């Protein structure tokens, strides 16, 4: 299997069309898109036909993982996680695999203490 094409979001040949789809050299892009800040990679997302589709990660500038999620046709699916800068889990959001609806949210403070818990259908 061929390696996915990888581009930098700041490449001058990257653009968006009116439907907010990612274009590279005038064509809908399929591959991976990186973003750098001050020389440090801060995000990596997968795209299919111009839409986010597949795994996506964000890092703090120091290289610590900030978030990870999966996207299908531009919508979050499954479990999305975010971490505090100290590496402690900050949130976990669960999305429906069929339409991206949020099903649950759990959040923690920087010490790992729960601060929020919500599930669809709770009153």
């Amino acid at each position: 299997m061929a390696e996915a094409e990888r581009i930098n979001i700041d490449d001058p040949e990257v653009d968006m069309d009116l439907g907010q789809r990612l274009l590279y050299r005038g064509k809908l892009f399929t591959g991976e898109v990186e973003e750098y800040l001050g020389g440090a990679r801060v995000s990596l997302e997968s795209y299919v036909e111009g839409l986010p589709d597949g795994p996506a990660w964000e890092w703090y500038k120091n290289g610590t993982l900030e978030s990870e999620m999966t996207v299908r046709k531009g919508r979050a699916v499954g479990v999305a996680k975010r971490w505090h800068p100290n590496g402690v889990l900050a949130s976990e959001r669960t999305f429906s695999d069929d339409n991206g609806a949020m099903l649950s949210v759990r959040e923690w403070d920087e010490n790992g203490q729960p601060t929020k818990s919500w599930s669809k259908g709770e009153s």
Side-chain angles (χ1 to χ4, degrees), residues 32-96:
E32 297 177 324
V33 179
E34 295 179 298
E35 181 178 5
Y36 288 85
L37 183 61
R41 182 170 65 180
V42 293
S43 71
L44 177 62
E45 294 180 273
S46 299
Y47 278 76
V48 174
E49 293 293 311
L51 293 174
D53 197 287
W57 297 273
E58 294 178 313
W59 294 269
Y60 291 103
K61 195 172 174 185
N62 70 5
T64 302
L65 187 62
E66 181 177 357
S67 69
E68 68 179 12
M69 66 187 306
T70 301
V71 180
R72 293 284 174 248
K73 297 181 181 177
R75 294 180 183 222
V77 297
V79 178
K81 294 181 180 182
R82 181 167 295 278
W83 289 267
H84 291 286
N86 66 0
V88 172
L89 187 62
S91 68
E92 190 175 85
R93 300 180 191 289
T94 304
F95 298 90
S96 166

